Structures are given as C-alpha cells and as structure tokens.
C-alpha cells in the first residue's frame, strides 16, 4: 500500500525509495534466475557473497547483520543454491565463468558503477575471480576467511580438516561421515535437511577455535528449499571440479582496489593461503585474528566488525599488515 501511495503521489523521497522491493530475482545472461535479498539502507552499498560452494545467503546473513547498520547490504543465492534456479542437469552452468557473469549481473541490476564486495570462504575465491576479470568494477574488497587461491593450498586445507576430524571423532563416526558426505547420498535421501545437519554438526566443529564456538552460529547452512538442500553437495562437487588445478595468484596483479584479507589463526585454511592473497593483491593488507577459526564474525565479533567498519570507511585497520609480494621466478 505504501509503495502504491508513493507512486500515486509521485514522490521520490527517501521514505518512498526505502519501500522498494527488498527481495526478488535477477536474470543472468544465460537465463538463470538468481534470488537476492537486501537488508539495511544508506548511501553505502556492500555486496556480500556467501560461501560453500552450494550454500545460500542464509548461511551468512544472520551473523553479518551488524554490517547493515547505516548501509545497504545486498546478498544473493548463487546459481544452483538456495532460492535461485537449480541446475543439477547441466554442470557447465555451474562453472566459475558463469559465477563471474552472475556477479556482474548483480552489479548491473542494482546500477552500481563499482562494487564493494565481501566474500566469505568460497565467496572470497569467487570475488577474487571477479576482481581479476573486472578490475575496474571493484571499489573495495573484503576477503573474509577466503578459500585458498590455489589448488595446492586447497589440498593443504583439506588435509588439515582430515587431521582435525581424526582427533575429534571415533573411527565409527568417521565412517558415518564418509557416507553422508557423498553427494549421491544427499540426492537419494528422504530428508536431505537432516543429512545436511548431521554432516555439518561434525564438520563445522573442527573449523572453529574450539568446539563451543559453533554454538554461537546464527546462520543456517541447511536452510532453503528442500530440493536445493538435496543438491547442495552436488553443486559443491561440480564447482570445485570446474576449477581444475587452479591458481588465481598470477591474475591478481591487475586488481588495484584496496583489499582486506581477514584470517583467524586457528582456521583450517593455512595462514600462508591468506598471506598469498595479500601478497598477490597490489593494495592489500592481512589481518590475523587470534582465538578465532574460520568464523571470526561470531568467534571474535568485536575485532572483526571493528576492522571491517574501519576498512569500509577508507582506512586499513592498524593491526593489518602488508605482505611482501613474492619475487617472480626468472
């Protein structure tokens, strides 16, 4: 009713503009529909890119709620995930190239000349790919516990996950995890959400600084439509497979925008992966957060949000350090 009244009165006030749709769909160049949700309002706009791959915006939005104070934050479900179109029959539509095009479609839809981007976990790798492809379209970049920028470093992360799982769980529990982690198991499950919850209760526990920290999480990696949850592990597998033996580092030199890399020292991702990000990006700093694992937004929220706000206002946090660019091999 308020929206209709604004139209009737031909008002363009901020009050009326604030009533514009807060969620909806964006159509990607290949026709895939992407669900988006907007929270907060203000002159600033931040685009937040969720992790996974295969998760949805509800996996991060509740824990990143403070970012919407005095600014507009745009979230979207990546293709094949959440409330966006499902793509289980065509793995070519899940490639990194398509994800880059989707992020560009988000920018165009909201008529942003340049984007300030926050990429969480896998989303950090995605915004890195986007920035390398469209360096002139990025204003500022926040790499929030970013996935490793190379396949070699990703393999080191996977090995650390396995080491931690073996320390925390019995052989019988690990056998069960091996079964329920297979995407084929999820596709046939009568209750994929229950399978998702069972798996993530085990896996996320080793991603944090300690087991108790996981109880603090507000986001839900198992939310969304049932059929979307069913395909989550399939989407994960297809996207990683599409990257092959990837190495993004040589492509990052064109990215001149300021970049803040945030890394919890107890993360399963090796610290040298975030050092590699910060060293390859010409205008980057690395912020290490003690007593935090992969999720500093609720493990060390005061440090995390203060650093992000400082960066979004135009400065690097004083604790963030410049990482020397690796010498090129002759």
């Amino acid at each position: 009713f308020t929206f209709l009244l604004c139209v009737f009165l031909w008002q363009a006030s901020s009050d009326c503009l604030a009533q514009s749709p807060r969620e909806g769909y964006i159509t990607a160049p290949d026709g895939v529909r992407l669900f988006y949700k907007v929270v907060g309002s203000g002159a600033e706009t931040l685009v937040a890119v969720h992790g996974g791959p295969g998760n949805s915006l509800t996996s991060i939005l509740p824990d990143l709620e403070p970012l919407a104070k005095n600014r507009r934050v745009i979230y979207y479900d990546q293709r094949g995930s959440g409330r966006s179109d499902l793509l289980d029959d065509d793995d070519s539509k899940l490639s990194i190239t398509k994800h880059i095009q989707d992020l560009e479609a988000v920018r165009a839809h909201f008529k942003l000349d340049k984007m300030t981007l926050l990429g969480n976990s896998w989303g950090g790798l995605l915004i890195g790919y986007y920035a390398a492809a469209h360096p002139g379209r990025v204003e500022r970049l926040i790499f929030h516990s970013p996935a490793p920028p190379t396949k070699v470093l990703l393999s080191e992360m996977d090995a650390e996950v396995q080491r931690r799982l073996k320390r925390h769980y019995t052989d019988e529990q690990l056998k069960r995890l091996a079964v329920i982690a297979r995407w084929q198991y999820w596709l046939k499950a009568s209750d994929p959400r229950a399978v998702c919850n069972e798996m993530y209760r085990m896996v996320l526990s080793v991603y944090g600084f300690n087991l108790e920290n996981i109880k603090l999480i507000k986001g839900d990696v198992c939310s969304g439509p049932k059929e979307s949850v069913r395909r989550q592990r399939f989407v994960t597998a297809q996207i990683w497979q599409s990257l092959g033996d990837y190495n993004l580092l040589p492509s990052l030199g064109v990215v001149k925008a300021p970049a803040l890399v945030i890394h919890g020292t107890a993360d399963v991702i090796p610290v040298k992966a975030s050092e590699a990000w910060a060293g390859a990006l010409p205008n980057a700093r690395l912020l290490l957060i003690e007593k935090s694992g992969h999720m500093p937004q609720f493990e060390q929220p005061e440090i995390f949000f203060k650093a992000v706000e400082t960066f979004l206002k135009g400065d690097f946090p004083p604790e963030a350090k410049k990482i020397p660019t690796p010498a090129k091999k002759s």
Side-chain angles (χ1 to χ4, degrees):
F1 178 82
T2 305
F3 175 72
L4 292 175
L5 181 61
C6 287
V7 174
F8 179 75
L9 295 176
W10 253 161
Q11 290 182 340
S13 68
S14 58
D15 288 342
C16 287
L17 292 175
Q19 300 298 327
S20 62
R22 306 297 284 172
E23 60 181 51
Y25 286 89
I26 298 166
T27 302
D30 62 353
V32 171
R33 294 189 319 149
L34 307 170
F35 176 75
Y36 72 83
K37 189 176 185 71
V38 180
V39 296
S41 61
E44 273 183 61
T45 296
L46 173 67
V47 178
V49 184
H50 68 74
N55 293 347
S56 68
L57 62 84
T58 51
S59 65
I60 60 170
L61 191 157
D63 295 294
L64 296 180
E65 200 79 55
L67 295 178
K69 184 179 180 181
N70 301 321
R71 73 171 57 84
R72 177 176 65 160
V73 184
I74 299 167
Y75 296 84
Y76 74 100
D77 286 335
Q78 293 161 27
R79 58 176 51 219
S81 307
R83 292 165 66 180
S84 292
D85 285 349
L86 304 181
L87 303 167
D88 57 315
D89 295 323
D90 188 350
D91 57 9
S92 67
K93 286 194 172 184
L94 291 169
S95 69
I96 189 63
T97 300
K98 296 295 184 182
H99 281 277
I100 294 169
Q101 291 173 356
D102 290 348
L103 200 42
E104 177 64 1
V106 170
R107 184 198 64 78
H109 178 87
F110 288 99
K111 297 179 172 58
L112 301 172
D113 181 45
K114 293 185 177 183
M115 288 191 291
T116 294
L117 291 162
L118 180 148
N120 167 254
S121 194
W122 143 257
L125 181 58
L126 174 51
I127 70 169
Y129 268 99
Y130 175 83
H134 300 282
R137 293 299 190 184
V138 290
E139 187 73 36
R140 304 181 82 76
L141 297 161
I142 301 169
F143 292 85
H144 171 200
S145 305
T150 74
K151 179 64 179 292
V152 171
L153 289 166
L154 180 70
S155 298
E156 291 188 25
M157 168 193 157
D158 290 341
E160 178 61 19
V161 171
Q162 293 303 316
R163 281 192 291 270
R164 294 190 188 188
L165 288 170
K166 288 178 181 178
R167 287 201 302 266
H168 287 95
Y169 297 106
T170 66
D171 289 344
E172 198 64 32
Q173 288 173 315
L174 292 175
K175 287 179 183 178
R176 172 63 180 168
L177 179 59
V179 171
I180 64 175
R182 296 171 60 245
W183 61 262
Q184 295 90 341
Y185 188 87
W186 289 46
L187 289 181
K188 296 177 181 179
S190 59
D191 188 351
R193 204 179 311 280
V195 175
C196 179
N197 283 319
E198 181 183 0
M199 190 195 86
Y200 277 111
R201 272 195 300 271
M202 294 184 68
V203 174
L204 286 180
S205 66
V206 303
Y207 272 61
F209 174 67
N210 60 48
L211 297 176
E212 294 300 309
N213 283 357
I214 300 305
K215 297 177 182 178
L216 301 173
I217 191 170
K218 297 176 184 176
D220 187 356
V221 292
C222 299
S223 63
K226 180 179 179 180
E227 292 308 305
S228 173
V229 176
R230 182 185 303 283
R231 289 162 173 78
Q232 190 180 123
R233 292 291 291 168
F234 173 83
V235 170
T236 301
Q238 293 299 320
I239 291 175
W240 284 125
Q241 182 177 317
S242 79
L243 289 176
D245 190 19
Y246 74 96
N247 180 0
L248 186 57
L249 296 176
S251 303
L252 295 175
V254 298
V255 183
K256 307 304 182 185
L260 177 64
V261 183
I262 301 175
H263 185 99
T265 57
D267 201 339
V268 291
I269 298 174
V271 67
K272 63 182 177 181
S274 287
E275 290 174 343
W277 277 112
L281 291 157
N283 189 14
R285 300 288 188 278
L286 172 62
L287 176 66
L288 295 176
I289 300 181
E290 300 290 337
K291 296 183 179 180
S292 176
H294 194 59
M295 298 153 288
Q297 67 272 30
F298 58 82
E299 293 187 283
Q300 293 289 346
E302 290 187 10
I303 297 173
F304 175 82
F305 288 108
K306 181 180 179 182
V308 170
E309 290 296 334
T310 297
F311 181 69
L312 291 178
K313 288 175 181 175
D315 297 315
F316 284 106
E319 302 84 4
K321 305 300 181 184
K322 176 68 178 175
I323 302 298
T325 302
K328 293 183 178 180
K329 297 180 180 178
S330 57

